[in-house]
Amino acid sequence: MKNNARNTGELLPLYFAKKSINILLLACCSLSFYPCYSQQNEYKKGIMKADETTKQVQIRPEERIFASRLLNETAAGVTSSIEGLNKAQLTFKPAADKWSIDECIKHIAIAELNLWEMVVESLKQPVDPEKRKGIKFTDEQLINAVKDRSHKSKTFEALEPANSPYATAAEALAAFQKNRARLTTFVKSTSEDLRNHVLVLPIGTYDAYQFILLIAAHSNRHTQQISEVKAHIDFPKP
């Protein structure tokens, strides 16, 4: 899986991932969680506190189920959000400084690659349970943090839709679906110790498993944004 992630021609340079991570993660911490989780209590069974995972070697079955479901459902949310939309609808901007749906999809796809690259790089480093002491968020707290869209943050220039390698929303969506399927397969089958591979960043410390949850949450934030665009009074009719 690591080699596949590293070798795909669609992966952006790690340079962009490292340079953009501070701003991107600040944005992710103010994301909104797509409201499709009616079975919230069931999902919470897969949420572990930081101090419960120190001695793990592999993620627990319930963690694997939780993350894979989250990845699948958020991917479905992205896909369904643009089904049947025409060009006028895809390119409609609620305001000059707001993104269109086309731009949202392109950003989702480019960010997905960068965030996954961060996970790939973290797995190349030795496991270090001691670093877990720096983790301040439980999984549940991390997910709750991304629900709040009242706090907005401008993304890094490399992740702006205008700098996306995808020419169309359809091309971006196809790339997103391909990479999300790869990530979901990884979560379902990996034997990596995702809890004790820890990313220590200027804005906080996260384990690799949490970072995967963050990837899913990021796409959800922009699915919410797409819904807001579609709800605009001037949104073009079919």
Side-chain angles (χ1 to χ4, degrees), residues 31-48:
L31 309 184
S32 179
F33 210 60
Y34 192 73
C36 61
Y37 301 100
S38 59
Q39 299 177 348
Q40 190 65 32
N41 289 334
E42 178 183 348
Y43 285 114
K44 285 183 179 180
K45 295 177 183 177
I47 299 173
M48 300 296 167

Side-chain angles (χ1 to χ4, degrees), residues 59-197:
I59 55 174
R60 299 184 174 106
E62 58 267 35
E63 291 174 313
R64 205 181 295 274
I65 291 170
F66 175 77
S68 61
R69 284 181 178 177
L70 184 59
L71 289 165
N72 279 327
E73 292 194 13
T74 56
V78 172
T79 298
S80 64
S81 71
I82 67 167
E83 285 180 350
L85 298 185
N86 58 39
K87 184 176 180 180
Q89 292 170 321
L90 288 171
T91 57
F92 169 77
K93 294 171 70 74
D97 61 342
K98 302 294 184 181
W99 285 355
S100 66
I101 294 174
D102 177 90
E103 290 172 320
C104 288
I105 294 296
K106 290 176 179 177
H107 171 73
I108 289 170
I110 196 172
E112 185 92 357
L113 294 173
N114 276 267
L115 289 170
W116 172 231
E117 183 72 5
M118 294 296 295
V119 177
V120 171
E121 289 300 309
S122 75
L123 297 180
K124 293 180 178 180
Q125 307 304 316
V127 296
D128 189 349
E130 285 298 310
K131 289 182 179 179
R132 294 195 57 79
K133 295 178 180 178
I135 296 177
K136 305 302 182 184
F137 293 97
T138 65
D139 298 349
E140 184 175 8
Q141 290 169 337
L142 179 63
I143 291 173
N144 285 337
V146 304
K147 291 180 180 180
D148 185 4
R149 275 182 53 79
S150 64
H151 303 289
K152 304 297 173 65
S153 178
K154 184 175 176 59
T155 192
F156 183 67
E157 183 180 0
L159 301 185
E160 290 283 352
N163 297 319
S164 168
Y166 311 112
T168 65
E171 183 181 334
L173 180 63
F176 166 77
Q177 291 170 331
K178 178 180 178 181
N179 286 288
R180 178 57 66 88
R182 181 187 293 116
L183 176 54
T184 304
T185 298
F186 169 79
V187 170
K188 289 179 177 179
S189 61
T190 185
S191 60
E192 293 278 8
D193 187 353
L194 298 181
R195 287 301 192 177
N196 290 314
H197 282 284

